[in-house]
Amino acid sequence: MEASSEQKTHPFDLQMDSGTALKLVKHGATLLLLDVPQYTLVGIDTQMFSVGPLFKGIKMIPPGPHFVYYSSADRNGNEFSPVVGFFLDACPSEVIVRRWHQQEERLVKLPEEEEEKYHEAVKRFEFDNQLGPYALNHFGTWKQISNYITKSTIERIEPIGREITVVCESGLVEQVPKTVMEKALAEQLRNSKFSTSAEKSQRRGCYYTSIPRVVKNKGISGQELTSLNIDKTQLLETILVKEYGGAEDLLLGELQFAFIAFLMGQSLEAFFQWKALVSLFFSCSEAPFCTRTQLFIKKDSINTSAVQKGASVLLDDSWLSKDSFLHRLCKDFFSLIKEASVVDGDLLSWTYKLKELLETTLGWEFQDSAVDGIYAENDDEFAPVVELLDDASFSEASAA
């Protein structure tokens, strides 16, 4: 597959001298992928590639957390299986080796002795010409949506076996309340030829924190209970202390983990967890730390042929339409802010900026909004709080 003619430069074109490139190769991690069939879609972070006949993996991977995902293709590269993905925390100069299992159509680990031989071969640059470099110009975008994910975040949440895939989730999302569209999607998953029951696969799914939809407390009046369910600040604070030891970064790490597993890994379970957390945040009138979360992405951020071909369901206009749950949540959140007796000043200014961004970027309208008429006097005092993936979020190339 050739890069789009609209691209001015190939994403693998690195504008650097040989000395700098060698330093990056030695310091960065290497993902060695053996025997991956041609046309398979392979992604890392916000980059996705269509495999060519000489492809052996990716080099120059910056140390830190990453998400690797792939989708096998038929022999003509026209039909693709559901995405399989896993998180990893790469160390400097680390070599990560996986081999394609033809029957199972997935990447598997090698025996330790065999893996060590490939480690040494990579160190001797024997595969260097067959490794595509990590597109470092996209690393900033990845950091924006993963900066709270740590090694401990991955180890705490990832499923047994580490693989995240929607084909094993039909039994995991049965008890989750859904919209009409989400019920249809779950039914489609259950009837898919790729679907595998949780019992048959012996996989539990990710270890996400349980987020109650409704606050229940027998020791208070009905009016107080209604109030707690309208403004869920107390529920958020309780979860933060009980499940995360009061560490906001751990909660934000789980939010990012779920968002990435949903967006790149196409995990339905991850979508419901991300939705539950976002819904909780937007049901609170006193949660200023939520201004550091990233909840929205640009409609045209995913527009490359590789993504469209094999992963077109990542996001379409329906996710950002006026009928989506995000639009409803924002509308309810603005009403909550309007009705609150006391609102944190930073949160109020953040709310104004959020409303303005949604109206100008997505074309959403909020009639009689709580923040109509509010003027943020010093915009520069507030850091960007809704982090948008830029138009080059997903890059595509043929790994020849």
Side-chain angles (χ1 to χ4, degrees):
M1 181 185 300
E2 296 182 356
S4 170
S5 60
E6 296 180 0
Q7 291 177 301
K8 295 182 179 180
T9 60
H10 194 289
F12 278 177
D13 288 340
L14 299 180
Q15 304 298 321
M16 64 180 70
D17 59 77
S18 59
T20 302
L22 181 60
K23 183 178 179 180
L24 289 172
V25 169
K26 290 183 175 180
H27 178 72
T30 299
L31 180 62
L32 184 64
L33 305 176
L34 304 170
D35 304 328
V36 179
Q38 189 171 355
Y39 304 122
T40 300
L41 296 177
V42 175
I44 181 169
D45 304 340
T46 61
Q47 306 166 42
M48 180 176 280
F49 317 100
S50 179
V51 169
L54 302 180
F55 175 80
K56 295 294 183 184
I58 303 168
K59 60 184 176 181
M60 299 185 184
I61 301 173
H66 298 278
F67 187 68
V68 178
Y69 49 107
Y70 56 90
S71 174
S72 61
D74 63 12
R75 63 178 59 189
N76 297 316
N78 294 322
E79 295 185 5
F80 296 83
S81 64
V83 171
V84 178
F86 59 91
F87 283 89
L88 58 84
D89 186 66
C91 298
S93 305
E94 182 179 7
V95 178
I96 303 160
V97 185
R98 296 289 188 273
R99 170 173 284 151
W100 187 261
H101 193 292
Q102 189 66 36
Q103 285 71 38
E104 298 182 8
E105 295 189 340
R106 67 186 186 95
L107 295 170
V108 298
K109 295 189 68 173
L110 274 61
E112 187 173 343
E113 291 185 4
E114 186 178 3
E115 185 176 30
E116 183 60 31
K117 293 179 181 178
Y118 283 108
H119 282 196
E120 296 303 319
V122 170
K123 297 300 183 183
R124 294 192 298 267
F125 302 104
E126 294 181 12
F127 294 100
D128 196 59
N129 291 334
Q130 297 166 294
L131 299 173
Y134 185 100
L136 296 173
N137 56 318
H138 296 293
F139 184 56
T141 298
W142 168 250
K143 289 296 292 181
Q144 285 183 341
I145 64 171
S146 66
N147 58 324
Y148 289 103
I149 296 177
T150 63
K151 183 178 181 179
S152 61
T153 303
I154 297 171
E155 292 176 342
R156 178 172 58 88
I157 303 175
E158 68 180 357
I160 297 173
R162 303 187 64 186
E163 291 183 344
I164 298 173
T165 176
V166 72
V167 299
C168 298
E169 295 179 355
S170 61
L172 300 176
V173 297
E174 291 298 323
Q175 306 304 318
V176 179
K178 309 175 186 69
T179 64
V180 174
M181 183 177 67
E182 291 164 1
K183 288 179 180 178
L185 183 59
E187 181 66 22
Q188 181 181 358
L189 169 62
R190 187 164 49 248
N191 297 329
S192 169
K193 66 179 180 179
F194 296 105
S195 180
T196 303
S197 66
E199 294 79 8
K200 185 176 180 180
S201 67
Q202 297 182 341
R203 296 182 184 179
R204 180 196 177 279
C206 290
Y207 291 82
Y208 293 119
T209 302
S210 177
I211 308 296
R213 288 184 65 250
V214 179
V215 178
K216 298 180 180 179
N217 192 329
K218 295 182 179 180
I220 61 176
S221 67
Q223 183 177 358
E224 291 174 316
L225 186 60
T226 299
S227 178
L228 289 176
N229 277 283
I230 293 176
D231 184 349
K232 295 182 179 178
T233 300
Q234 183 174 324
L235 173 61
L236 175 58
E237 292 174 345
T238 299
I239 292 175
L240 185 61
V241 173
K242 180 180 178 181
E243 303 293 343
Y244 304 97
E248 296 175 359
D249 288 2
L250 296 181
L251 174 56
L252 295 176
E254 180 163 338
L255 174 72
Q256 292 182 333
F257 184 107
F259 180 71
I260 291 165
F262 149 56
L263 182 64
M264 286 80 165
Q266 300 184 18
S267 167
L268 191 58
E269 180 190 26
F271 166 71
F272 285 124
Q273 181 66 9
W274 175 71
K275 178 183 176 181
L277 287 169
V278 172
S279 299
L280 176 59
F281 292 161
F282 273 72
S283 299
C284 300
S285 65
E286 300 176 22
F289 82 87
C290 76
T291 63
R292 291 186 283 164
T293 67
Q294 49 276 81
L295 309 177
F296 301 97
I297 70 171
K298 218 173 188 178
K299 285 194 290 186
D300 56 353
S301 64
I302 303 173
N303 56 12
T304 63
S305 58
V307 176
Q308 290 173 343
K309 195 170 186 180
S312 59
V313 299
L314 285 180
L315 275 185
D316 58 32
D317 287 347
S318 65
W319 292 107
L320 302 176
S321 71
K322 295 179 181 179
D323 297 326
S324 71
F325 85 94
L326 287 173
H327 184 273
R328 176 180 55 80
L329 282 178
C330 289
K331 184 177 180 180
D332 292 345
F333 175 68
F334 295 151
S335 296
L336 180 64
I337 293 298
K338 180 179 181 180
E339 296 169 3
S341 56
V342 179
V343 180
D344 177 84
D346 286 351
L347 180 59
L348 189 63
S349 296
W350 177 84
T351 302
Y352 170 82
K353 293 172 70 69
L354 171 62
K355 173 181 176 290
E356 185 177 48
L357 177 64
L358 295 176
E359 290 178 336
T360 57
T361 304
L362 301 181
W364 289 358
E365 297 179 358
F366 301 96
Q367 298 296 332
D368 300 323
S369 170
V371 292
D372 282 345
I374 296 177
Y375 178 69
E377 295 182 353
N378 297 304
D379 285 351
D380 292 340
E381 293 182 5
F382 304 103
V385 293
V386 181
E387 298 168 346
L388 300 178
L389 303 181
D390 63 21
D391 291 340
S393 296
F394 282 76
S395 65
E396 172 269 320
S398 173

